[in-house]
Amino acid sequence: MVSARLILALLAGSAAATPVTTKQMFPSCNANPQGCVCPKGTVFQSSTSYATVYADTGDLTELISNFTNTAWFGTSPTKIFGGRSMHPTRLLIGDVDGVPVPTKEQLMVFTDYSGKSDQSKTTRFEDGFFMKFQVIDTPIKYNGNSGPGIIAGSWDTMDVRRIGEQETMWVWSIYVCFSSAFPFYEFHESAMKNISTTLGSQGKLSRDTLGPFSV
């Protein structure tokens, strides 16, 4: 009869001899908005800013829908690739950890909610639009004020919808794999406030914008 002690010894030996494999529970971060894992040396960060703009949706979209014209959020591309294509790319210089870092952003998806317009030919969308873009040619390495850094990925969506007469919902979301913390909500809210001010100065706001708010 085999003793209980011998059985335990055999089981322990079997466990020690069998390699333990671990399966990653989440996929690597990519353009699909889902639970994901950032590459080593970077941290997942996300932010969503939103506002209700009491203006005609077409008036708002004329100011923000041109992917290659970004002066409204405080910086303009130093170079544009495929400006008239369905997937143009813009080269922007942004401040990351106190130093200028060039990034290439490519428009991946653009949807006119009316289904009538082509984003390469117009900037006015009466029912709103959905835009999705991402940083390409990653990873981007830089030397910031706090040391070497990495941009391993960055994915944005912008959703602008007519929700009533002179009433437009604007949602701007981002998630990234950065080695440095970045206050995305401050950047987005500042840009959205600038647009609200512009619409107001043009007499196109029926009342003050509600927001922006961020989560």
Side-chain angles (χ1 to χ4, degrees), residues 52-54 196 205-211:
T52 301
V53 183
Y54 294 96
S196 181
L205 282 180
S206 61
R207 54 182 285 195
D208 289 345
T209 295
L210 182 61

Side-chain angles (χ1 to χ4, degrees), residues 99-201:
V99 297
V101 178
T103 59
K104 281 184 181 180
E105 295 181 339
Q106 185 173 39
L107 179 63
M108 309 304 293
V109 176
F110 192 99
T111 302
D112 168 21
Y113 282 132
S114 71
K116 300 176 181 177
S117 303
D118 180 347
Q119 58 86 15
S120 67
K121 298 177 181 178
T122 185
T123 58
R124 188 177 183 90
F125 302 91
E126 298 296 345
D127 293 320
F129 67 87
F130 175 83
M131 177 191 296
K132 183 175 183 179
F133 56 95
Q134 68 182 43
V135 172
I136 61 174
D137 296 342
T138 55
I140 300 168
K141 297 182 179 181
Y142 60 91
N143 288 309
N145 289 341
S146 59
I150 304 171
I151 297 175
S154 176
W155 302 270
D156 284 72
T157 60
M158 189 175 295
D159 197 344
V160 181
R161 298 173 184 253
R162 176 185 293 276
I163 58 175
E165 191 68 25
Q166 291 287 114
E167 190 173 1
T168 306
M169 176 60 75
W170 181 6
V171 182
W172 190 355
S173 299
I174 185 172
Y175 62 98
V176 305
C177 292
F178 278 18
S179 58
S180 303
F182 191 87
F184 293 103
Y185 75 95
E186 292 182 0
F187 168 58
H188 289 174
E189 288 187 11
S190 175
M192 295 167 91
K193 288 175 182 176
N194 286 343
I195 288 297
S196 181
T197 298
T198 298
L199 289 169
S201 67

Side-chain angles (χ1 to χ4, degrees), residues 2-9:
V2 180
S3 69
R5 182 175 296 178
L6 178 57
I7 292 174
L8 290 173

